[in-house]
Amino acid sequence: MTLPRHQDPIVAIATAPGRGAVGIVRVSGRDLASLAQTLCGRCLKPRDASYTHFLDAAGVAIDHGLAIYFPGPHSFTGEDVLELQAHGGPVVLQLLVTRCLQAAAELAVDNTPRLPHLRLALPGEFSERAFLNNKIDLAQAEAIADLIDASTEAAARSATRSLSGDFSREIHSLRDALIHLRMLVEATLDFPEEEIDFLRQADALGQLTKLQHSLATVLTRAHQGALLREGIKVVIAGQPNAGKSSLLNALAGAEVAIVTAVPGTTRDKVEQTIQIEGVPVHVIDTAGLRDSSDEVEQIGIARAWDAIAQADAVLFLHDLTRVDMPEYRVADDAIRTVLAGKLPQHVPVVDLWNKADAAPDAVADTGLSLSAKTGLGLNALRQDLLQLAGWQPVTEGLFMARERHVQALRSVRLHLADAQCYLELRVPALDLLAEELRLAQNALGEITGEFTSDDLLGVIFSNFCIGK
């Protein structure tokens, strides 16, 4: 019996690799009761944790622990789910996986058609089954991975809200309002001979304006959620001995980069993720930018420029003790010229003047004076970084979002703006108006998975861990 891939029974270790007190083997598929009885030697009561032995083909115990059987559709995946909670040794768990595959093959040979072709699960396939069986939508499925990967408390709480459906409910509310507006437009198209103007009577323009305001609110919150997940990439650049490594250490609160008085100490990128009000900021220290004949330093400088080209923001660090040296200012200006040519216009370059403790009377032309040694100016720098990222103070109810969600919402905004133009014409262009509203609804559907290509599903779920 050959089934489509999404209907194959699957098995995997659901806990992280390594040793632990407890490890879980998870199976999902149709009609798993026979497999559960074979593995445990007895029938399992649905949704009850049963203490039992897990038996090999000869009836000898591999291990003992808890077995829980969830008959579908009342399970995480919507299919039958069997979870075996054993001791968390990798050998024990692998033996249980092998036994599950073996037992399923034995049942198939015995002409039991209920469990054919049990196979190892692909990354994220349990969550994918839950999505395909309408247990969760796509935004909730992504929130599972975001909750697992959360690097800050704020990110974890926001991912939990998305997993519980807060973000999806916002999207569904926008969709419902959009569908109602489409209904009015379609009614006008279907009954052009009627004297009643459906659009004016129902205040279609007012409804569209209200929808745009609601969208703006959701888009702002989604952008904040995306920042919690993605963070921003900030590169510290400048001439040698400006204090770039010292600044990284000061921001990180730890000695993560080597600091010496010798110019060119940093030969490669050093990256550290810090948290500012719950927002991950990926700070990258780079080699000092200068002309060098040293082959190793040249490689480091090339990598510095590569990092700069991929940055969300660049901290251009200057040495306040050398502010009056003409040759130093000329070199700084040269770096600034190259930066302007390499960076997109939307990537900000922030001028920072370090060593304010050693040159208290020196005056910088522009930018922020600070001291990586004493901490002077660091709090102001942290707030500047949040402002550059577009972060706003966290409000209650913030949900997790991804960059693809933000892009989809921006696409909705563009379609609604075009729809407003067609609606405000002296003679509304109803066909074009209807098309823009349809495209806006499709863009919303991409967030929750109502309109989603198989390619996108493959990309999303392939980034999940095995067993989830």
Side-chain angles (χ1 to χ4, degrees):
M1 179 179 178
T2 302
L3 296 175
R5 181 180 72 84
H6 295 309
Q7 296 182 31
D8 286 344
I10 52 176
V11 60
I13 299 172
T15 41
R19 292 174 173 80
V22 177
I24 299 174
V25 171
R26 175 183 287 166
V27 187
S28 180
R30 297 180 179 179
D31 300 313
L32 297 185
S34 58
L35 178 65
Q37 184 171 359
T38 301
L39 293 172
C40 301
R42 60 190 176 98
C43 293
L44 299 179
K45 186 178 179 180
R47 286 173 293 281
D48 270 15
S50 302
Y51 179 75
T52 183
H53 287 87
F54 308 129
L55 306 177
D56 65 13
V60 177
I62 298 172
D63 193 8
H64 58 273
L66 297 180
I68 310 176
Y69 173 52
F70 303 91
H74 305 296
S75 70
F76 172 65
T77 64
E79 305 169 333
D80 284 3
V81 171
L82 175 63
E83 289 195 353
L84 306 178
Q85 301 183 12
H87 292 92
V91 174
V92 173
L93 297 178
Q94 191 56 56
L95 285 173
L96 288 178
V97 170
T98 302
R99 176 56 184 148
C100 287
L101 295 169
Q102 181 187 45
E106 292 169 355
L107 289 171
V109 170
D110 291 338
N111 297 318
T112 303
R114 292 174 295 192
L115 194 66
H117 309 297
L118 179 67
R119 61 172 174 80
L120 296 175
L122 299 173
E125 195 165 5
F126 291 94
S127 298
E128 185 180 23
R129 295 286 177 92
F131 166 70
L132 294 173
N133 292 325
N134 298 316
K135 304 297 289 186
I136 55 175
D137 63 30
L138 194 55
Q140 289 175 293
E142 291 171 301
I144 295 172
D146 294 338
L147 180 58
I148 294 171
D149 295 336
S151 58
T152 67
E153 179 182 349
R157 293 186 180 276
S158 298
T160 299
R161 294 189 189 99
S162 289
L163 179 56
S164 67
D166 286 6
F167 183 33
S168 300
R169 281 187 285 273
E170 297 272 8
I171 299 303
H172 291 153
S173 178
L174 293 174
R175 182 203 61 186
D176 292 344
L178 187 52
I179 289 174
H180 182 70
L181 189 56
R182 288 188 66 192
M183 178 190 69
L184 296 175
V185 176
E186 296 294 341
T188 305
L189 284 170
D190 290 342
F191 303 103
E193 69 281 356
E194 296 289 338
E195 295 182 359
I196 299 176
D197 187 336
F198 288 100
L199 298 182
R200 287 195 177 88
Q201 186 183 55
D203 189 22
L205 182 57
Q207 290 190 41
L208 178 57
T209 301
K210 183 179 179 180
L211 177 58
Q212 288 172 308
H213 288 161
S214 298
L215 174 66
T217 300
V218 175
L219 180 54
T220 298
R221 294 174 66 193
H223 177 65
Q224 301 299 295
L227 279 176
L228 283 179
R229 179 182 185 274
E230 308 287 349
I232 58 171
K233 182 182 292 186
V234 176
V235 172
I236 306 174
Q239 295 188 57
N241 262 16
K244 298 183 296 299
S245 298
S246 296
L247 179 57
L248 173 63
N249 291 342
L251 289 172
E255 297 295 320
V256 296
I258 297 173
V259 176
T260 73
V262 179
T265 299
T266 302
R267 298 296 185 98
D268 203 350
K269 298 182 295 182
V270 180
E271 182 172 351
Q272 181 71 19
T273 297
I274 64 173
Q275 299 177 24
I276 306 177
E277 295 186 15
V279 178
V281 180
H282 312 291
V283 186
I284 302 174
D285 175 28
T286 59
L289 303 176
R290 65 174 177 178
D291 293 329
S292 174
S293 58
D294 186 295
E295 182 178 358
V296 176
E297 188 176 4
Q298 288 176 355
I299 295 173
I301 293 171
R303 292 184 178 181
W305 284 115
D306 289 341
I308 289 169
Q310 301 172 36
D312 297 315
V314 175
L315 302 181
F316 189 3
L317 197 63
H318 311 274
D319 186 345
L320 202 54
T321 64
R322 292 183 279 175
V323 67
D324 294 326
M325 298 181 181
E327 64 276 14
Y328 182 80
R329 299 300 295 266
V330 169
D332 261 7
D333 290 341
I335 293 172
R336 168 73 68 176
T337 300
V338 179
L339 283 173
K342 285 184 175 289
L343 289 175
Q345 290 186 352
H346 68 274
V347 176
V349 177
V350 181
D351 288 294
L352 301 178
W353 294 86
N354 190 28
K355 305 182 184 180
D357 58 305
D361 297 326
V363 179
D365 298 334
T366 59
L368 175 68
S369 295
L370 56 83
S371 170
K373 182 177 181 179
T374 67
L376 174 69
L378 289 186
N379 286 336
L381 173 59
R382 293 186 181 97
Q383 293 305 311
D384 285 349
L385 290 175
L386 289 179
Q387 186 176 5
L388 289 173
W391 177 251
Q392 299 174 4
V394 176
T395 56
E396 196 63 35
L398 186 64
F399 47 72
M400 182 67 77
R402 295 188 173 199
E403 185 59 30
R404 80 168 192 91
H405 303 151
V406 175
Q407 294 302 325
L409 290 170
R410 286 173 178 164
S411 178
V412 175
R413 182 175 62 185
L414 291 175
H415 289 305
L416 292 185
D418 289 342
Q420 182 178 354
C421 292
Y422 294 132
L423 182 58
E424 290 179 333
L425 293 175
R426 190 166 61 89
V427 179
L430 296 183
D431 288 339
L432 295 175
L433 171 60
E435 178 63 10
E436 292 299 334
L437 295 178
R438 184 187 69 82
L439 292 173
Q441 184 179 344
N442 285 356
L444 282 178
E446 290 177 0
I447 296 175
T448 55
E450 295 172 62
F451 304 101
T452 307
S453 69
D454 289 340
D455 289 342
L456 178 59
L457 291 182
V459 170
I460 290 174
F461 289 107
S462 65
N463 291 321
F464 280 48
C465 54
I466 298 285
K468 197 63 187 172

